[in-house]
Amino acid sequence: MLDKECLFCKIIEGKIPSAKVYEDQKMYVFNDIAPKAKVHLLAVPKTHFALLSEADGEGFSMLSHIFEKIPQIAAEYGCEKGYRLVINQGEDAGQTVHHLHVHILGGQPLDW
Ligand code: 5GP
Ligand code: ZN
């Protein structure tokens, strides 16, 4: 289920434009609008939930699919030498968009 007030749900539905790099039935991947590395992709499940603690069976099935697909997508889009995955959860982590997403950062050496 998508949420009509949510920015990433609107991106998934094509109501807000995005630079798509990959899409299938369970996930949507696009370029971050404010990249923090040479390559900065966002991978989102095609169902709306903000936090891991809110995911149901369908959510975890989509997350599992996302992690299965990420190696191939990352390698294809400039992260063949490695990449970092980040999932910000809640206020202290600085989560700003409340639709769970995986940041894929790479294309350069990354400071810890
Ligand atoms: P968070 O801080 O929630 O982990 O990450 C949200 C990310 O979404 C940020 O890196 C931010 O740059 C990105 N972002 C916010 N609004 C948009 C948008 O309208 N389009 C795209 N492509 N990325 C966005
Ligand atoms: Zn959403």
Side-chain angles (χ1 to χ4, degrees):
M1 278 272 281
L2 297 175
D3 175 336
K4 57 182 182 341
E5 306 302 323
C6 166
L7 175 66
F8 285 175
C9 286
K10 289 180 188 168
I11 284 179
I12 291 166
E13 290 184 295
K15 289 180 178 161
I16 290 177
S18 64
K20 176 172 94 175
V21 305
Y22 177 82
E23 180 176 19
D24 64 28
Q25 283 185 325
K26 294 185 173 176
M27 68 190 286
Y28 188 87
V29 185
F30 54 106
N31 283 305
D32 195 292
I33 206 167
K36 309 290 188 297
K38 271 192 188 153
V39 177
H40 188 169
L41 307 176
L42 298 172
V44 301
K46 282 189 171 178
T47 187
H48 180 86
F49 58 99
L51 300 168
L52 283 170
S53 56
E54 294 171 357
D56 59 8
E58 185 195 30
F60 282 118
S61 144
M62 288 188 184
L63 281 176
S64 158
H65 178 74
I66 285 174
F67 284 110
E68 229 176 288
K69 287 284 177 189
I70 278 175
Q72 177 195 332
I73 295 165
E76 230 171 273
Y77 286 89
C79 298
E80 56 287 322
K81 290 173 78 179
Y83 51 91
R84 177 170 299 148
L85 303 180
V86 173
I87 304 179
N88 289 322
Q89 291 287 275
E91 192 180 341
D92 277 359
Q95 184 176 7
T96 57
V97 179
H98 300 284
H99 179 131
L100 192 136
H101 49 281
V102 182
H103 295 261
I104 305 166
L105 298 147
Q108 61 175 85
L110 300 165
D111 286 338
W112 180 234

PDB file of all heavy atoms in Angstrom, residues 1 45-64 66-67 87 89 95 98-101:
ATOM      1  N   MET A   1       0.834  -1.217   0.000  1.00  0.00           N
ATOM      2  CA  MET A   1       0.000   0.000   0.000  1.00  0.00           C
ATOM      3  C   MET A   1       0.866   1.264   0.000  1.00  0.00           C
ATOM      4  O   MET A   1       1.787   1.391   0.805  1.00  0.00           O
ATOM      5  CB  MET A   1      -0.868   0.024   1.266  1.00  0.00           C
ATOM      6  CG  MET A   1      -2.123  -0.819   1.162  1.00  0.00           C
ATOM      7  SD  MET A   1      -3.509   0.104   0.457  1.00  0.00           S
ATOM      8  CE  MET A   1      -4.051   1.075   1.872  1.00  0.00           C
ATOM      9  N   PRO A  45      11.209   0.178  -1.127  1.00  0.00           N
ATOM     10  CA  PRO A  45      10.188  -0.838  -1.350  1.00  0.00           C
ATOM     11  C   PRO A  45       8.913  -0.192  -1.865  1.00  0.00           C
ATOM     12  O   PRO A  45       8.593   0.942  -1.496  1.00  0.00           O
ATOM     13  CB  PRO A  45       9.976  -1.433   0.052  1.00  0.00           C
ATOM     14  CG  PRO A  45      10.386  -0.361   1.001  1.00  0.00           C
ATOM     15  CD  PRO A  45      11.444   0.467   0.301  1.00  0.00           C
ATOM     16  N   LYS A  46       8.167  -0.945  -2.681  1.00  0.00           N
ATOM     17  CA  LYS A  46       6.915  -0.410  -3.234  1.00  0.00           C
ATOM     18  C   LYS A  46       5.738  -0.636  -2.298  1.00  0.00           C
ATOM     19  O   LYS A  46       4.654  -1.050  -2.708  1.00  0.00           O
ATOM     20  CB  LYS A  46       6.639  -1.037  -4.604  1.00  0.00           C
ATOM     21  CG  LYS A  46       7.485  -0.434  -5.721  1.00  0.00           C
ATOM     22  CD  LYS A  46       6.999  -0.930  -7.070  1.00  0.00           C
ATOM     23  CE  LYS A  46       7.677  -0.178  -8.205  1.00  0.00           C
ATOM     24  NZ  LYS A  46       7.237  -0.705  -9.513  1.00  0.00           N
ATOM     25  N   THR A  47       5.988  -0.429  -1.030  1.00  0.00           N
ATOM     26  CA  THR A  47       4.917  -0.384  -0.040  1.00  0.00           C
ATOM     27  C   THR A  47       5.378   0.611   1.014  1.00  0.00           C
ATOM     28  O   THR A  47       6.573   0.787   1.219  1.00  0.00           O
ATOM     29  CB  THR A  47       4.635  -1.777   0.560  1.00  0.00           C
ATOM     30  OG1 THR A  47       3.480  -1.702   1.386  1.00  0.00           O
ATOM     31  CG2 THR A  47       5.791  -2.298   1.392  1.00  0.00           C
ATOM     32  N   HIS A  48       4.405   1.286   1.629  1.00  0.00           N
ATOM     33  CA  HIS A  48       4.780   2.381   2.522  1.00  0.00           C
ATOM     34  C   HIS A  48       4.925   1.936   3.978  1.00  0.00           C
ATOM     35  O   HIS A  48       3.977   1.452   4.585  1.00  0.00           O
ATOM     36  CB  HIS A  48       3.732   3.494   2.457  1.00  0.00           C
ATOM     37  CG  HIS A  48       4.074   4.634   3.359  1.00  0.00           C
ATOM     38  ND1 HIS A  48       4.900   5.657   2.983  1.00  0.00           N
ATOM     39  CD2 HIS A  48       3.741   4.876   4.654  1.00  0.00           C
ATOM     40  CE1 HIS A  48       5.054   6.486   4.000  1.00  0.00           C
ATOM     41  NE2 HIS A  48       4.364   6.041   5.035  1.00  0.00           N
ATOM     42  N   PHE A  49       6.130   2.098   4.508  1.00  0.00           N
ATOM     43  CA  PHE A  49       6.348   2.027   5.954  1.00  0.00           C
ATOM     44  C   PHE A  49       7.614   2.817   6.237  1.00  0.00           C
ATOM     45  O   PHE A  49       8.506   2.901   5.390  1.00  0.00           O
ATOM     46  CB  PHE A  49       6.433   0.585   6.476  1.00  0.00           C
ATOM     47  CG  PHE A  49       7.504  -0.263   5.847  1.00  0.00           C
ATOM     48  CD1 PHE A  49       8.727  -0.453   6.485  1.00  0.00           C
ATOM     49  CD2 PHE A  49       7.309  -0.878   4.626  1.00  0.00           C
ATOM     50  CE1 PHE A  49       9.720  -1.238   5.919  1.00  0.00           C
ATOM     51  CE2 PHE A  49       8.301  -1.667   4.033  1.00  0.00           C
ATOM     52  CZ  PHE A  49       9.506  -1.844   4.684  1.00  0.00           C
ATOM     53  N   ALA A  50       7.679   3.430   7.414  1.00  0.00           N
ATOM     54  CA  ALA A  50       8.771   4.352   7.709  1.00  0.00           C
ATOM     55  C   ALA A  50       9.966   3.651   8.341  1.00  0.00           C
ATOM     56  O   ALA A  50      11.117   4.000   8.080  1.00  0.00           O
ATOM     57  CB  ALA A  50       8.267   5.457   8.633  1.00  0.00           C
ATOM     58  N   LEU A  51       9.674   2.679   9.194  1.00  0.00           N
ATOM     59  CA  LEU A  51      10.705   2.091  10.050  1.00  0.00           C
ATOM     60  C   LEU A  51      10.700   0.567   9.918  1.00  0.00           C
ATOM     61  O   LEU A  51       9.654  -0.032   9.657  1.00  0.00           O
ATOM     62  CB  LEU A  51      10.423   2.450  11.517  1.00  0.00           C
ATOM     63  CG  LEU A  51      10.392   3.932  11.864  1.00  0.00           C
ATOM     64  CD1 LEU A  51       9.823   4.133  13.266  1.00  0.00           C
ATOM     65  CD2 LEU A  51      11.776   4.550  11.752  1.00  0.00           C
ATOM     66  N   LEU A  52      11.843  -0.047  10.167  1.00  0.00           N
ATOM     67  CA  LEU A  52      11.917  -1.515  10.183  1.00  0.00           C
ATOM     68  C   LEU A  52      10.892  -2.088  11.158  1.00  0.00           C
ATOM     69  O   LEU A  52      10.265  -3.116  10.901  1.00  0.00           O
ATOM     70  CB  LEU A  52      13.316  -1.967  10.602  1.00  0.00           C
ATOM     71  CG  LEU A  52      14.409  -1.863   9.535  1.00  0.00           C
ATOM     72  CD1 LEU A  52      15.776  -2.102  10.176  1.00  0.00           C
ATOM     73  CD2 LEU A  52      14.169  -2.844   8.394  1.00  0.00           C
ATOM     74  N   SER A  53      10.718  -1.390  12.291  1.00  0.00           N
ATOM     75  CA  SER A  53       9.794  -1.880  13.314  1.00  0.00           C
ATOM     76  C   SER A  53       8.342  -1.846  12.853  1.00  0.00           C
ATOM     77  O   SER A  53       7.468  -2.419  13.502  1.00  0.00           O
ATOM     78  CB  SER A  53       9.949  -1.065  14.598  1.00  0.00           C
ATOM     79  OG  SER A  53       9.750   0.302  14.315  1.00  0.00           O
ATOM     80  N   GLU A  54       8.063  -1.184  11.734  1.00  0.00           N
ATOM     81  CA  GLU A  54       6.687  -1.105  11.213  1.00  0.00           C
ATOM     82  C   GLU A  54       6.457  -2.075  10.061  1.00  0.00           C
ATOM     83  O   GLU A  54       5.350  -2.158   9.532  1.00  0.00           O
ATOM     84  CB  GLU A  54       6.398   0.318  10.721  1.00  0.00           C
ATOM     85  CG  GLU A  54       6.385   1.346  11.834  1.00  0.00           C
ATOM     86  CD  GLU A  54       6.308   2.778  11.303  1.00  0.00           C
ATOM     87  OE1 GLU A  54       6.327   2.985  10.071  1.00  0.00           O
ATOM     88  OE2 GLU A  54       6.247   3.678  12.149  1.00  0.00           O
ATOM     89  N   ALA A  55       7.518  -2.778   9.635  1.00  0.00           N
ATOM     90  CA  ALA A  55       7.381  -3.641   8.452  1.00  0.00           C
ATOM     91  C   ALA A  55       6.578  -4.893   8.785  1.00  0.00           C
ATOM     92  O   ALA A  55       6.745  -5.482   9.849  1.00  0.00           O
ATOM     93  CB  ALA A  55       8.758  -4.026   7.928  1.00  0.00           C
ATOM     94  N   ASP A  56       5.722  -5.282   7.862  1.00  0.00           N
ATOM     95  CA  ASP A  56       5.007  -6.553   7.999  1.00  0.00           C
ATOM     96  C   ASP A  56       5.657  -7.575   7.051  1.00  0.00           C
ATOM     97  O   ASP A  56       6.735  -7.332   6.505  1.00  0.00           O
ATOM     98  CB  ASP A  56       3.513  -6.353   7.686  1.00  0.00           C
ATOM     99  CG  ASP A  56       3.285  -5.814   6.282  1.00  0.00           C
ATOM    100  OD1 ASP A  56       4.257  -5.727   5.497  1.00  0.00           O
ATOM    101  OD2 ASP A  56       2.131  -5.474   5.960  1.00  0.00           O
ATOM    102  N   GLY A  57       4.999  -8.704   6.867  1.00  0.00           N
ATOM    103  CA  GLY A  57       5.562  -9.750   6.011  1.00  0.00           C
ATOM    104  C   GLY A  57       5.859  -9.266   4.607  1.00  0.00           C
ATOM    105  O   GLY A  57       6.912  -9.566   4.041  1.00  0.00           O
ATOM    106  N   GLU A  58       4.940  -8.491   4.046  1.00  0.00           N
ATOM    107  CA  GLU A  58       5.142  -7.981   2.686  1.00  0.00           C
ATOM    108  C   GLU A  58       6.343  -7.026   2.652  1.00  0.00           C
ATOM    109  O   GLU A  58       7.162  -7.063   1.737  1.00  0.00           O
ATOM    110  CB  GLU A  58       3.880  -7.233   2.224  1.00  0.00           C
ATOM    111  CG  GLU A  58       3.962  -6.778   0.773  1.00  0.00           C
ATOM    112  CD  GLU A  58       2.905  -5.737   0.394  1.00  0.00           C
ATOM    113  OE1 GLU A  58       2.484  -4.940   1.272  1.00  0.00           O
ATOM    114  OE2 GLU A  58       2.521  -5.719  -0.775  1.00  0.00           O
ATOM    115  N   GLY A  59       6.443  -6.188   3.694  1.00  0.00           N
ATOM    116  CA  GLY A  59       7.564  -5.254   3.772  1.00  0.00           C
ATOM    117  C   GLY A  59       8.897  -5.985   3.812  1.00  0.00           C
ATOM    118  O   GLY A  59       9.843  -5.641   3.101  1.00  0.00           O
ATOM    119  N   PHE A  60       8.983  -7.024   4.645  1.00  0.00           N
ATOM    120  CA  PHE A  60      10.249  -7.766   4.745  1.00  0.00           C
ATOM    121  C   PHE A  60      10.538  -8.570   3.482  1.00  0.00           C
ATOM    122  O   PHE A  60      11.704  -8.739   3.110  1.00  0.00           O
ATOM    123  CB  PHE A  60      10.253  -8.661   5.991  1.00  0.00           C
ATOM    124  CG  PHE A  60      10.537  -7.878   7.243  1.00  0.00           C
ATOM    125  CD1 PHE A  60       9.606  -7.808   8.262  1.00  0.00           C
ATOM    126  CD2 PHE A  60      11.742  -7.195   7.391  1.00  0.00           C
ATOM    127  CE1 PHE A  60       9.868  -7.057   9.411  1.00  0.00           C
ATOM    128  CE2 PHE A  60      12.009  -6.452   8.534  1.00  0.00           C
ATOM    129  CZ  PHE A  60      11.061  -6.380   9.548  1.00  0.00           C
ATOM    130  N   SER A  61       9.499  -9.006   2.818  1.00  0.00           N
ATOM    131  CA  SER A  61       9.723  -9.703   1.540  1.00  0.00           C
ATOM    132  C   SER A  61      10.307  -8.724   0.518  1.00  0.00           C
ATOM    133  O   SER A  61      11.221  -9.064  -0.238  1.00  0.00           O
ATOM    134  CB  SER A  61       8.397 -10.315   1.075  1.00  0.00           C
ATOM    135  OG  SER A  61       8.275 -10.266  -0.308  1.00  0.00           O
ATOM    136  N   MET A  62       9.821  -7.487   0.520  1.00  0.00           N
ATOM    137  CA  MET A  62      10.365  -6.475  -0.394  1.00  0.00           C
ATOM    138  C   MET A  62      11.793  -6.107  -0.001  1.00  0.00           C
ATOM    139  O   MET A  62      12.656  -5.938  -0.857  1.00  0.00           O
ATOM    140  CB  MET A  62       9.473  -5.245  -0.411  1.00  0.00           C
ATOM    141  CG  MET A  62       8.170  -5.510  -1.129  1.00  0.00           C
ATOM    142  SD  MET A  62       7.215  -4.021  -1.370  1.00  0.00           S
ATOM    143  CE  MET A  62       5.743  -4.727  -2.117  1.00  0.00           C
ATOM    144  N   LEU A  63      12.049  -5.998   1.308  1.00  0.00           N
ATOM    145  CA  LEU A  63      13.416  -5.666   1.744  1.00  0.00           C
ATOM    146  C   LEU A  63      14.396  -6.770   1.367  1.00  0.00           C
ATOM    147  O   LEU A  63      15.508  -6.497   0.914  1.00  0.00           O
ATOM    148  CB  LEU A  63      13.447  -5.443   3.257  1.00  0.00           C
ATOM    149  CG  LEU A  63      12.954  -4.088   3.733  1.00  0.00           C
ATOM    150  CD1 LEU A  63      12.960  -4.041   5.250  1.00  0.00           C
ATOM    151  CD2 LEU A  63      13.803  -2.965   3.152  1.00  0.00           C
ATOM    152  N   SER A  64      13.977  -7.994   1.535  1.00  0.00           N
ATOM    153  CA  SER A  64      14.831  -9.112   1.171  1.00  0.00           C
ATOM    154  C   SER A  64      15.148  -9.065  -0.327  1.00  0.00           C
ATOM    155  O   SER A  64      16.302  -9.242  -0.748  1.00  0.00           O
ATOM    156  CB  SER A  64      14.103 -10.396   1.571  1.00  0.00           C
ATOM    157  OG  SER A  64      14.576 -11.475   0.851  1.00  0.00           O
ATOM    158  N   ILE A  66      15.136  -6.357  -2.184  1.00  0.00           N
ATOM    159  CA  ILE A  66      16.027  -5.206  -2.398  1.00  0.00           C
ATOM    160  C   ILE A  66      17.482  -5.620  -2.150  1.00  0.00           C
ATOM    161  O   ILE A  66      18.372  -5.340  -2.959  1.00  0.00           O
ATOM    162  CB  ILE A  66      15.596  -4.028  -1.484  1.00  0.00           C
ATOM    163  CG1 ILE A  66      14.331  -3.375  -2.044  1.00  0.00           C
ATOM    164  CG2 ILE A  66      16.721  -2.996  -1.332  1.00  0.00           C
ATOM    165  CD1 ILE A  66      13.720  -2.305  -1.156  1.00  0.00           C
ATOM    166  N   PHE A  67      17.730  -6.329  -1.039  1.00  0.00           N
ATOM    167  CA  PHE A  67      19.121  -6.709  -0.725  1.00  0.00           C
ATOM    168  C   PHE A  67      19.663  -7.748  -1.706  1.00  0.00           C
ATOM    169  O   PHE A  67      20.865  -7.796  -1.957  1.00  0.00           O
ATOM    170  CB  PHE A  67      19.234  -7.172   0.729  1.00  0.00           C
ATOM    171  CG  PHE A  67      19.197  -6.007   1.681  1.00  0.00           C
ATOM    172  CD1 PHE A  67      18.106  -5.795   2.501  1.00  0.00           C
ATOM    173  CD2 PHE A  67      20.255  -5.100   1.735  1.00  0.00           C
ATOM    174  CE1 PHE A  67      18.054  -4.695   3.355  1.00  0.00           C
ATOM    175  CE2 PHE A  67      20.216  -4.003   2.584  1.00  0.00           C
ATOM    176  CZ  PHE A  67      19.108  -3.801   3.394  1.00  0.00           C
ATOM    177  N   ILE A  87      20.722   2.911   6.174  1.00  0.00           N
ATOM    178  CA  ILE A  87      19.273   3.056   6.408  1.00  0.00           C
ATOM    179  C   ILE A  87      19.112   3.903   7.661  1.00  0.00           C
ATOM    180  O   ILE A  87      19.425   3.449   8.771  1.00  0.00           O
ATOM    181  CB  ILE A  87      18.569   1.695   6.613  1.00  0.00           C
ATOM    182  CG1 ILE A  87      18.828   0.754   5.433  1.00  0.00           C
ATOM    183  CG2 ILE A  87      17.071   1.909   6.804  1.00  0.00           C
ATOM    184  CD1 ILE A  87      18.174  -0.630   5.605  1.00  0.00           C
ATOM    185  N   GLN A  89      17.103   5.462  10.572  1.00  0.00           N
ATOM    186  CA  GLN A  89      15.885   5.070  11.282  1.00  0.00           C
ATOM    187  C   GLN A  89      15.571   6.087  12.362  1.00  0.00           C
ATOM    188  O   GLN A  89      16.213   6.126  13.409  1.00  0.00           O
ATOM    189  CB  GLN A  89      16.086   3.679  11.927  1.00  0.00           C
ATOM    190  CG  GLN A  89      16.173   2.535  10.932  1.00  0.00           C
ATOM    191  CD  GLN A  89      14.797   2.238  10.344  1.00  0.00           C
ATOM    192  OE1 GLN A  89      14.018   1.500  10.916  1.00  0.00           O
ATOM    193  NE2 GLN A  89      14.493   2.827   9.203  1.00  0.00           N
ATOM    194  N   GLN A  95      16.631  10.704   9.920  1.00  0.00           N
ATOM    195  CA  GLN A  95      15.710  10.309   8.841  1.00  0.00           C
ATOM    196  C   GLN A  95      14.786  11.478   8.512  1.00  0.00           C
ATOM    197  O   GLN A  95      14.144  12.044   9.389  1.00  0.00           O
ATOM    198  CB  GLN A  95      14.875   9.090   9.268  1.00  0.00           C
ATOM    199  CG  GLN A  95      13.958   8.575   8.155  1.00  0.00           C
ATOM    200  CD  GLN A  95      13.200   7.302   8.564  1.00  0.00           C
ATOM    201  OE1 GLN A  95      13.257   6.888   9.723  1.00  0.00           O
ATOM    202  NE2 GLN A  95      12.492   6.713   7.625  1.00  0.00           N
ATOM    203  N   HIS A  98       9.985   9.671   5.533  1.00  0.00           N
ATOM    204  CA  HIS A  98       9.473   8.581   6.374  1.00  0.00           C
ATOM    205  C   HIS A  98       8.836   7.467   5.545  1.00  0.00           C
ATOM    206  O   HIS A  98       7.692   7.063   5.785  1.00  0.00           O
ATOM    207  CB  HIS A  98       8.560   9.167   7.464  1.00  0.00           C
ATOM    208  CG  HIS A  98       9.319  10.148   8.322  1.00  0.00           C
ATOM    209  ND1 HIS A  98      10.222   9.742   9.282  1.00  0.00           N
ATOM    210  CD2 HIS A  98       9.393  11.497   8.271  1.00  0.00           C
ATOM    211  CE1 HIS A  98      10.784  10.818   9.835  1.00  0.00           C
ATOM    212  NE2 HIS A  98      10.302  11.888   9.230  1.00  0.00           N
ATOM    213  N   HIS A  99       9.613   7.043   4.569  1.00  0.00           N
ATOM    214  CA  HIS A  99       9.323   5.832   3.771  1.00  0.00           C
ATOM    215  C   HIS A  99      10.658   5.111   3.735  1.00  0.00           C
ATOM    216  O   HIS A  99      11.637   5.664   3.197  1.00  0.00           O
ATOM    217  CB  HIS A  99       8.852   6.252   2.374  1.00  0.00           C
ATOM    218  CG  HIS A  99       8.545   5.111   1.439  1.00  0.00           C
ATOM    219  ND1 HIS A  99       7.383   5.028   0.713  1.00  0.00           N
ATOM    220  CD2 HIS A  99       9.284   4.027   1.087  1.00  0.00           C
ATOM    221  CE1 HIS A  99       7.394   3.929  -0.032  1.00  0.00           C
ATOM    222  NE2 HIS A  99       8.551   3.308   0.168  1.00  0.00           N
ATOM    223  N   LEU A 100      10.721   3.935   4.316  1.00  0.00           N
ATOM    224  CA  LEU A 100      12.015   3.269   4.471  1.00  0.00           C
ATOM    225  C   LEU A 100      12.762   3.201   3.138  1.00  0.00           C
ATOM    226  O   LEU A 100      12.178   2.868   2.102  1.00  0.00           O
ATOM    227  CB  LEU A 100      11.836   1.853   5.024  1.00  0.00           C
ATOM    228  CG  LEU A 100      13.179   1.232   5.475  1.00  0.00           C
ATOM    229  CD1 LEU A 100      13.026   0.547   6.804  1.00  0.00           C
ATOM    230  CD2 LEU A 100      13.723   0.302   4.413  1.00  0.00           C
ATOM    231  N   HIS A 101      14.045   3.542   3.177  1.00  0.00           N
ATOM    232  CA  HIS A 101      14.861   3.539   1.961  1.00  0.00           C
ATOM    233  C   HIS A 101      16.283   3.154   2.312  1.00  0.00           C
ATOM    234  O   HIS A 101      16.772   3.437   3.408  1.00  0.00           O
ATOM    235  CB  HIS A 101      14.821   4.899   1.270  1.00  0.00           C
ATOM    236  CG  HIS A 101      15.089   6.058   2.178  1.00  0.00           C
ATOM    237  ND1 HIS A 101      14.129   6.582   3.032  1.00  0.00           N
ATOM    238  CD2 HIS A 101      16.210   6.774   2.403  1.00  0.00           C
ATOM    239  CE1 HIS A 101      14.646   7.576   3.715  1.00  0.00           C
ATOM    240  NE2 HIS A 101      15.924   7.709   3.366  1.00  0.00           N
TER     241      HIS A 101
END
